[in-house]
Amino acid sequence: MIMMMNTDEEESTRGLADLCFQSTLGNPFFVIEFMSMLHREDLIQFNIGTMKWSFDVSMIEGATFSTANVAELLKSRMEQMPADVKLLLQVVACLGPTFRVSVLETLWKNLAYTQSKGFGLDDIPKLISFIESEMLIETWVGGDRYRWVHDKVQETTRSGFEIQFGENSVLPFEGQGTGRQLV
């Protein structure tokens, strides 16, 4: 996949491919996530004049050294999202690999809305659309059901955060069966 980037420097491209494999172990979802992160961070650029990709493997290596695994990169990306999007992700992560909008709305209304910064039920479609545009979830069956694009996305979301409901109750979003406890 990396070799198809249309560069003239096979050795440099091989270096990027090796670095990509080290970070993703060849998992297609993580390869896409890793390459998207490199593009967002301007570590790879497409030169329209030459119609080729350009990059510096040593710069990429230095920039990604501290986040050698893609799950950490994904978590870092999620942490930069708006607070209400993060809250919605955390709630959705507890619903399992798929979720219905109606169940999400019930949880949002009864639990999460108190933590949101003014987002109500009418804002859920906009938040879901944002999460979908970030390629974290996708429409599954009809328009009322969604699923995570990869189980590691759900796992990263679920294991990386805590949400506080009410004054003293903390609900950790970790482990199996959390969704059953909420619903």
Side-chain angles (χ1 to χ4, degrees):
M1 188 159 128
I2 305 291
M3 297 301 274
M4 296 182 339
M5 289 181 63
N6 195 23
T7 67
D8 290 332
E9 301 175 25
E10 185 176 330
E11 186 176 319
S12 177
T13 304
R14 187 171 308 285
L16 178 59
D18 290 343
L19 183 60
C20 187
F21 184 78
Q22 289 171 3
S23 295
T24 66
L25 298 177
N27 179 310
F29 173 78
F30 286 146
V31 169
I32 292 167
E33 184 64 31
F34 184 73
M35 295 302 290
S36 296
M37 181 274 307
L38 294 180
H39 189 259
R40 273 192 310 275
E41 300 292 324
D42 285 330
L43 293 168
I44 60 171
Q45 303 88 24
F46 187 73
N47 183 325
I48 294 181
T50 62
M51 299 300 287
K52 297 181 185 217
W53 288 92
S54 62
F55 52 88
D56 181 336
V57 174
S58 60
M59 281 183 61
I60 293 171
E61 207 166 28
T64 60
F65 179 74
S66 64
T67 53
N69 103 27
V70 177
E72 290 177 31
L73 295 172
L74 189 59
K75 183 177 175 184
S76 173
R77 189 176 103 188
M78 288 178 185
E79 287 172 348
Q80 295 173 13
M81 292 181 177
D84 285 320
V85 171
K86 289 190 288 191
L87 182 61
L88 189 76
L89 280 169
Q90 295 164 351
V91 171
V92 168
C94 295
L95 298 177
T98 66
F99 67 94
R100 290 185 185 279
V101 173
S102 58
V103 173
L104 174 60
E105 288 172 343
T106 300
L107 287 172
W108 192 261
K109 185 172 91 179
N110 293 319
L111 298 172
Y113 181 72
T114 61
Q115 298 299 309
S116 77
K117 305 281 189 237
F119 280 86
L121 290 177
D122 295 340
D123 297 304
I124 287 179
K126 182 172 60 172
L127 295 173
I128 287 175
S129 179
F130 177 82
I131 294 167
E132 195 172 18
S133 74
E134 291 288 316
M135 296 188 294
L136 301 174
I137 62 171
E138 62 189 3
T139 305
W140 189 38
V141 178
D144 185 77
R145 207 165 175 146
Y146 291 85
R147 67 178 176 185
W148 294 96
V149 295
H150 194 281
D151 61 330
K152 290 294 182 186
V153 177
Q154 179 191 9
E155 184 180 309
T156 299
T157 304
R158 191 177 56 219
S159 67
F161 305 99
E162 272 189 352
I163 300 175
Q164 182 133 7
F165 291 108
E167 289 184 26
N168 299 317
S169 74
V170 172
L171 178 58
F173 282 58
E174 297 179 1
Q176 298 296 327
T178 307
R180 284 190 299 265
Q181 295 168 6
L182 283 175
V183 179

